[in-house]
């Protein structure tokens, strides 16, 4: 069954990605000896490489849908991570970040585009995004733990080599996916770039990534909780995200996707509001439930919304969404670091709430003219 193969491929891809990228900063600092500034530059080149390669392949996918692009970038990434432990020169690391490692940034949108192309524009294709997104969430729930196990036994070299092997398994799995049919994309069907919607996604993920940096500091230094409590909170969020993402696939078609996504933005704002007034683990855990639901809705339903909006330009739509998320990561690092240093943890979390709220307003405004795309509820 094509869906099960795609699910397995996304699961393997997510496990490898989470194993490597959870510890990539520590690898750069501890194994290579990079300074914080060098790590920041390296991460930025990594993200820019992913955005550029993803945009280019997304356009090519729409002209000729194929599984080749996804397989190729994953194989390049596998080779890059296999070689990474042997590289110590900063300029070589930058070159790898912009090419073989950056290519991995295109893997996520390419696999999701492939799923939509293979499963079609019917109910199965429309539900592929939330279901495949649940595999990604599940992978990120278990991947960091597996990475920690490998790291404790074999160090950074074996961690990167193991991730490379799992990437290779993901690429080989995609060979079992049927070849997608050709889709003719016209200018009218693809539509223009939804600027406000893209900005809203960027703001959401900027708030998510910035909050991910500030939360551990707030929990351990502001509330004086044990460092292990941070892992508990993130595990709760990941578990809720998996369940919520699976639940999205069961939501009837008559339910407005626009209203659903706006609810996701609102839930995410609620998470920050609850977190900043928390005094102990119980309230923090409740906040993570809201966080998991918000990420699941915007992350999964958002992909589907973009795919429906720009159909049949699936590659362009999925890549646009993924690149907007990556842009949020680029913005968040500098902003969150400066805010934490000058204004503190709670102020940073409140700023994240404001950014998420502005993202919700941008989505509401950008989607207002697209209401004709929504299914009409049946009484």
């Amino acid at each position: 069954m094509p869906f099960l193969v795609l699910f397995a491929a996304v699961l393997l891809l997510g496990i490898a990605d989470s194993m490597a990228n959870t510890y990539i900063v520590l690898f750069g600092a501890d194994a290579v000896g990079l300074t914080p500034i060098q790590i920041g530059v390296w991460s930025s080149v990594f993200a820019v490489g992913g955005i550029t390669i993803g945009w280019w392949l997304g356009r090519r996918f729409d002209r000729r849908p194929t599984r080749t692009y996804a397989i190729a970038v994953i194989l390049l990434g596998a080779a890059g991570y296999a070689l990474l432990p042997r590289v110590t020169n900063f300029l070589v690391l930058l070159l790898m970040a912009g090419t073989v490692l950056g290519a991995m940034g295109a893997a996520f949108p390419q696999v999701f585009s492939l799923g939509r192309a293979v499963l079609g524009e019917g109910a199965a294709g429309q539900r592929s995004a939330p279901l495949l997104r649940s595999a990604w969430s599940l992978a990120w729930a278990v991947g960091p733990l597996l990475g920690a196990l490998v790291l404790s036994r074999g160090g950074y070299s074996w961690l990167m080599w193991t991730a490379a092997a799992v990437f290779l398994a993901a690429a080989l799995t995609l060979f079992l996916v049927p070849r997608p049919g050709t889709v003719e994309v016209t200018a009218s069907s693809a539509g223009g770039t939804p600027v406000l919607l893209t900005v809203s996604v960027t703001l959401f993920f900027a708030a998510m990534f910035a909050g991910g940096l500030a939360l551990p500091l707030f929990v351990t230094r502001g509330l004086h909780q044990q460092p292990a409590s941070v892992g508990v909170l993130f595990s709760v969020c990941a578990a809720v995200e998996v369940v919520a993402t699976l639940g999205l696939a069961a939501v009837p078609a008559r339910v407005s996707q626009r209203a659903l996504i706006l609810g996701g933005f609102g839930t995410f704002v609620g998470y920050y509001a609850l977190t900043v007034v928390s005094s102990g683990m119980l309230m923090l855990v409740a906040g993570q439930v809201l966080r998991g639901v918000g990420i699941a809705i915007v992350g999964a339903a958002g992909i589907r919304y973009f795919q429906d909006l720009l159909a049949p330009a699936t590659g362009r739509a999925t890549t646009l969404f993924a690149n907007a998320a990556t842009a949020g990561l680029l913005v968040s690092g500098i902003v969150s670091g400066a805010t934490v240093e000058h204004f503190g943890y709670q102020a940073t979390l409140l700023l994240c709430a404001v950014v998420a709220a502005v993202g919700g307003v941008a989505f509401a405004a950008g989607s207002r003219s697209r209401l004709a795309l929504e299914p009409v509820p049946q009484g």
Side-chain angles (χ1 to χ4, degrees):
M1 183 179 179
F3 172 76
L4 293 179
V5 177
L6 284 163
F7 189 93
V10 172
L11 184 64
L12 290 169
L13 179 64
I15 289 174
D17 186 73
S18 60
M19 287 180 68
N21 290 323
T22 297
Y23 304 99
I24 195 71
V25 171
L26 294 177
F27 166 80
D30 298 340
V32 185
L34 300 182
T35 66
I37 294 177
Q38 288 177 319
I39 291 174
V41 173
W42 189 36
S43 300
S44 296
V45 173
F46 195 117
V48 171
I51 290 175
T52 304
I53 296 171
W55 176 83
W56 178 59
L57 290 182
R59 297 278 180 166
R60 292 183 65 86
F61 184 93
D62 287 333
R63 290 196 292 268
R64 190 175 72 87
T66 177
R67 61 193 183 186
T68 302
Y69 302 138
I71 294 172
V73 294
I74 296 174
L75 288 176
L76 283 174
Y81 281 103
L83 293 173
L84 196 56
R86 301 302 185 193
V87 179
T88 57
N89 184 278
F90 181 58
L91 292 179
V92 176
L93 287 174
L94 289 180
L95 179 62
M96 292 178 66
T99 54
V100 292
L101 297 180
M104 286 302 304
F108 181 92
Q110 280 294 316
V111 173
F112 274 69
S113 299
L114 182 62
R116 184 67 174 248
V118 169
L119 298 176
E121 295 295 327
Q126 291 178 343
R127 292 183 177 181
S128 66
L131 289 173
L132 293 179
R133 186 62 171 75
S134 69
W136 186 263
S137 301
L138 179 61
W140 269 87
V142 301
L145 300 178
L146 294 176
L149 178 62
V150 176
L151 184 61
S152 65
R153 300 294 179 88
Y156 288 110
S157 293
W158 276 102
L159 175 63
M160 297 304 164
W161 291 336
T162 303
V166 181
F167 277 129
L168 178 61
L172 295 177
T173 301
L174 288 175
F175 278 105
L176 302 178
V177 178
R179 289 184 173 88
T182 302
V183 177
E184 181 179 354
V185 179
T186 64
S188 59
S189 66
T193 300
V195 176
L196 274 178
L197 297 180
T198 305
V199 169
S200 73
V201 173
T202 299
L203 291 174
F204 178 88
F205 282 99
M208 188 191 81
F209 290 123
L213 184 147
L215 181 67
L217 299 174
F218 172 66
V219 171
T220 56
R221 300 179 185 179
L223 299 182
H224 307 291
Q225 299 291 325
Q226 294 297 318
S229 62
V230 176
V232 173
L233 293 175
F234 284 163
S235 294
V236 169
C237 177
V240 171
E241 189 180 340
V242 171
V243 175
T245 307
L246 287 172
L248 286 174
V251 173
R254 65 177 179 272
V255 175
S256 168
Q257 293 299 301
R258 177 178 186 266
L260 190 65
I261 296 171
L262 285 174
F265 275 96
T267 302
F268 206 61
V269 173
Y271 147 65
Y272 283 116
L274 181 59
T275 298
V276 295
V277 299
S278 294
S279 57
M281 281 296 291
L282 185 60
M283 294 179 69
L284 289 171
V285 168
Q288 289 301 307
V289 173
L290 296 178
R291 181 175 185 258
V293 171
I295 293 174
I297 292 176
V298 177
I303 294 176
R304 180 168 60 185
Y305 190 88
F306 271 59
Q307 289 177 339
D308 291 344
L309 182 67
L310 299 179
T314 303
R316 176 187 166 207
T318 314
T319 302
L320 185 62
F321 185 92
N323 283 352
T326 305
L329 173 61
L330 279 174
V331 172
S332 67
I334 299 174
V335 173
S336 60
T339 306
V340 167
E341 183 174 345
H342 290 95
F343 301 105
Y345 316 122
Q346 285 181 302
T348 302
L349 293 172
L350 284 173
L351 176 62
C352 291
V354 172
V355 171
V358 173
V361 172
F363 184 87
S367 60
R368 186 178 296 118
S369 61
R370 320 276 179 169
L371 288 176
L373 294 172
E374 293 285 345
V376 179
Q378 301 297 320

